[in-house]
Amino acid sequence: MKIKPVVLDRIQTRHTSFEVDFILENNITFIVGDSGTGKSAVFSFLQEMAAEDKRIRCLNYLDQKRNYRNTIRQSRGKLIIIDNADILLDDAMRWYIATDGQNQYIIIGRNPTGLMLKQNEIMELSSQTYDGKTRFELMHSF
Amino acid sequence: MITVYKKKPSPNDLELVTLNDIFFNKSTATRMDDRAKEIIAKIDQSEMLSPYAIASRFDGMKLNIDKLSTGCKTALNILYNPDKVFDIRECGDNALDVIYALPSGNVYCDYPLISFDMDKVMVRDDRSVREVESYEALKEWWAQ
């Protein structure tokens, strides 16, 4: 289900020598890719950003026992960033997210089943290291 | 060769580990030896500097081993803990290639998650344990 982002169409942050610059084309951005490409590192940088930006909420495996489903259901006008989605999101939550027009999502995982995404909504991380600095961007996976 | 489960093992069988990061950080990380070096290099393209340190693939900085990817931690969990079953749902294709080539270990996923480079695996379900020798046959078993 392809709709425009309802919270942010770009997210930029810096963590020491790491820079994140994501252009968000759709309301759900699903990020896939090989292990070790920096997905969880980027999540930790965005977690840091969330401490200063109340529009952003971050959830990962550490929230598994913390009623994260209610956190998502009670959110309005948030960019919800979910790492470890293959563990956290069951079929019901995937359906909720797919039909939620009030929040925006960045989801890091492997299996986008149930989110009703088109191929061009599935992204991969692209990283470039130059002069000791690493920059992360998104590119289409297909 | 590894053994593949498509249903969660019963409580009387082997323990299932779903949160691979936590299990690695609390248990496997304390038992790393030279066998881990090759796996870390293959999956995360990082050098293992000491039992608790790696060099970042991005800038070469020395990092604690807890910064390994979940896929890499899962492969190491499987290698070092043949008495447990590990959920592989978070593994990227590069981690799956390594996991399917391990000499032993147990993995679980309730949908097909297969390395294109797989050779032979054991599959285990309610009815039997048997050997499967091809990608297509393994995919078919998962679909049954």
Side-chain angles (χ1 to χ4, degrees):
Chain A
M1 195 177 295
K2 204 170 172 182
I3 59 173
K4 291 284 177 196
V6 298
V7 181
L8 291 167
D9 56 15
R10 188 173 194 175
I11 189 165
Q12 291 175 289
T13 190
R14 179 181 288 279
H15 175 93
T16 66
S17 59
F18 296 99
E19 189 182 342
V20 179
D21 186 0
F22 288 175
I23 306 290
L24 305 171
E25 299 171 1
N26 303 298
N27 202 48
I28 299 177
T29 303
F30 195 93
I31 304 175
V32 298
D34 275 350
S35 297
T37 51
K39 299 188 294 293
S40 291
V42 164
F43 176 82
S44 71
F45 307 150
L46 297 176
Q47 252 182 329
E48 191 173 69
M49 185 183 184
E52 294 185 324
D53 189 332
K54 290 189 184 310
R55 295 172 297 176
I56 301 173
R57 284 202 175 140
C58 293
L59 301 166
N60 70 358
Y61 67 91
L62 296 173
D63 297 296
Q64 199 189 28
K65 306 285 184 198
R66 293 189 192 146
N67 215 355
Y68 66 92
R69 291 181 181 86
N70 275 358
T71 303
I72 294 173
R73 287 199 177 99
Q74 290 167 5
S75 294
R76 299 286 181 273
K78 304 292 183 191
L79 170 58
I80 300 173
I81 303 171
I82 304 170
D83 193 11
N84 313 109
D86 300 299
I87 301 294
L88 289 184
L89 299 182
D90 57 16
D91 291 346
M93 281 314 301
R94 285 168 188 258
W95 170 255
Y96 181 86
I97 289 169
T99 56
D100 180 11
Q102 300 193 69
N103 299 294
Q104 182 179 345
Y105 295 88
I106 295 175
I107 302 174
I108 301 170
R110 181 185 168 92
N111 179 9
T113 302
L115 291 165
M116 296 191 281
L117 301 179
K118 292 186 165 40
Q119 278 194 350
N120 63 358
E121 293 174 272
I122 298 175
M123 313 296 282
E124 280 185 50
L125 270 191
S126 144
S127 66
Q128 285 183 317
T129 300
Y130 179 73
D131 204 17
K133 294 176 186 169
T134 302
R135 180 182 172 88
F136 291 99
E137 294 178 320
L138 292 176
M139 62 180 188
H140 288 282
S141 186
F142 295 97
Chain B
M1 82 186 82
I2 61 167
T3 300
V4 181
Y5 289 68
K6 63 179 176 181
K7 289 189 175 168
K8 290 182 180 177
S10 69
N12 298 331
D13 201 349
L14 302 179
E15 180 192 349
L16 173 65
V17 176
T18 302
L19 297 177
N20 278 283
D21 283 274
I22 294 175
F23 187 89
F24 176 87
N25 296 343
K26 291 174 83 165
S27 177
T28 305
T30 63
R31 291 186 283 130
M32 304 274 273
D33 57 23
D34 280 351
R35 290 182 294 168
K37 282 186 178 175
E38 190 185 352
I39 288 177
I40 291 171
K42 272 188 184 169
I43 299 175
D44 281 3
Q45 296 170 33
S46 296
E47 183 188 355
M48 186 176 168
L49 302 171
S50 69
Y52 291 107
I54 55 168
S56 166
R57 72 180 277 181
F58 296 109
D59 55 12
M61 293 288 281
K62 189 175 178 178
L63 300 173
N64 188 281
I65 205 121
D66 72 346
K67 294 293 187 291
L68 287 172
S69 68
T70 305
C72 189
K73 288 179 180 177
T74 304
L76 293 166
N77 285 341
I78 296 164
L79 175 67
Y80 285 94
N81 302 278
D83 58 334
K84 293 186 168 37
V85 184
F86 293 91
D87 192 320
I88 56 170
R89 280 179 294 172
E90 295 195 276
C91 294
D93 289 338
N94 56 340
L96 288 179
D97 289 343
V98 169
I99 289 167
Y100 272 84
L102 290 173
S104 62
N106 302 291
V107 306
Y108 159 79
C109 188
D110 59 2
Y111 51 82
L113 211 46
I114 309 170
S115 164
F116 287 113
D117 298 335
M118 70 156 280
D119 186 12
K120 284 188 237 175
V121 297
M122 297 296 289
V123 295
R124 182 166 181 160
D125 54 31
D126 292 340
R127 289 172 293 181
S128 64
V129 181
R130 64 186 171 89
E131 199 172 293
V132 170
E133 297 191 2
S134 73
Y135 179 96
E136 289 75 19
L138 183 56
K139 197 172 173 186
E140 194 180 316
W141 168 78
W142 235 307
Q144 285 168 3

